[in-house]
């Protein structure tokens, strides 16, 4: 069993994988298109978290985590509890291309574009929301900075993430 990480799973998978490999998912992109009303915001003051948003021709580079065979049921239960806290994410099996060209099927959590938590905001509005939201797992800024740092460490360029990181840091500095 493989799991695709593109956001918080990059830096906090919640399990010890048997292997981790850089991987590319076709026809989706990483986007702050999900209102966070539990983990990184509240109903009254939502934050934003990343989701895989379907977009033909796009690609998303992240990490494929191979789950240890004897832990598949436990990891699946853990991920469902973590990722399916609301019905905004849909569990899908997707095809990934690993860094060596091998192809694997992986579990991924993608956004339901018809769900009320699905959103599309301009980058400035995203930055404003992320800079001020806090939820049950902490500040939305922590989520942004940790994800951006891990993408940078892996050499994965995400220009929107880079812009948001710079802008949110400026907002926190009062600029």
């Amino acid at each position: 069993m493989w799991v695709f990480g593109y956001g918080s799973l990059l830096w906090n998978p919640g399990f010890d994988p048997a292997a981790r490999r850089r991987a590319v998912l076709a026809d989706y992109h990483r986007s702050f298109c999900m209102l966070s009303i539990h983990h990184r915001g509240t109903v009254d003051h939502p934050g934003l978290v990343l989701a895989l948003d379907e977009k033909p021709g796009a690609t998303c580079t992240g990490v494929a985590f191979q789950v240890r065979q004897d832990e598949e049921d436990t990891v699946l239960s853990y991920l469902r509890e973590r990722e399916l806290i609301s019905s905004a994410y849909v569990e899908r099996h997707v095809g990934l291309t690993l860094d060596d060209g091998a192809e694997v099927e992986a579990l991924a959590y993608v956004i339901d574009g018809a769900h009320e938590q699905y959103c599309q905001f301009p980058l400035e509005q995203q930055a404003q929301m992320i800079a001020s939201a806090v939820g049950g797992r902490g500040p939305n800024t922590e989520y942004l900075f940790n994800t951006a740092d891990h993408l940078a460490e892996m050499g994965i360029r995400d220009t929107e993430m880079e812009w948001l990181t710079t802008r949110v840091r400026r907002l926190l500095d009062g600029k």
Side-chain angles (χ1 to χ4, degrees):
M1 176 176 151
W2 290 86
V3 176
F4 184 59
Y6 57 89
S8 63
L9 287 174
L10 293 173
W11 46 273
N12 182 21
F15 62 95
D16 183 29
R20 64 178 74 215
R21 304 279 299 280
R22 187 174 167 139
V24 176
L25 173 62
D27 296 323
Y28 287 89
H29 71 113
R30 178 182 11 257
S31 175
F32 277 101
C33 63
M34 182 175 158
L35 294 171
S36 180
I37 58 174
H38 302 288
H39 296 318
R40 299 297 176 166
T42 64
V43 172
D44 294 332
H45 193 100
L48 292 171
V49 291
L50 292 164
L52 288 172
D53 200 6
E54 197 164 7
K55 183 178 179 183
T59 59
C60 179
T61 302
V63 174
F65 297 100
Q66 187 177 34
V67 179
R68 297 176 193 284
Q69 271 191 331
D70 61 335
E71 296 178 2
E72 289 180 357
D73 290 340
T74 302
V75 168
L76 185 57
S77 293
Y78 164 75
L79 289 171
R80 285 177 172 165
E81 183 178 325
R82 172 182 168 165
E83 301 297 329
L84 302 178
I85 191 167
S86 72
S87 55
Y89 281 131
V90 177
E91 196 173 80
R92 288 229 175 109
H93 291 275
V94 298
L96 299 178
T97 303
L98 302 181
D99 54 4
D100 65 358
E103 296 193 10
V104 297
E105 184 176 282
L107 183 66
Y109 293 93
V110 303
I111 189 74
D112 174 357
H115 195 274
E116 63 187 13
Q117 285 175 258
Y118 179 73
C119 60
Q120 289 289 316
F121 296 126
L123 286 174
E124 179 61 29
Q125 186 174 352
Q126 291 178 38
Q128 297 284 338
M129 292 174 73
I130 291 168
S132 61
V134 178
R137 289 204 175 160
N140 207 172
T141 53
E142 176 185 67
Y143 177 91
L144 168 68
F145 297 150
N146 279 336
T147 305
D149 288 347
H150 278 76
L151 288 172
E153 286 172 15
M154 294 175 58
I156 299 170
R157 293 271 342 251
D158 186 316
T159 56
E160 286 188 4
M161 185 84 64
E162 292 167 8
W163 188 92
L164 282 169
T165 300
T166 299
R167 180 64 181 131
V168 168
R169 287 191 194 287
R170 290 184 62 110
L171 287 170
L172 295 175
D173 289 341
K175 299 176 183 175

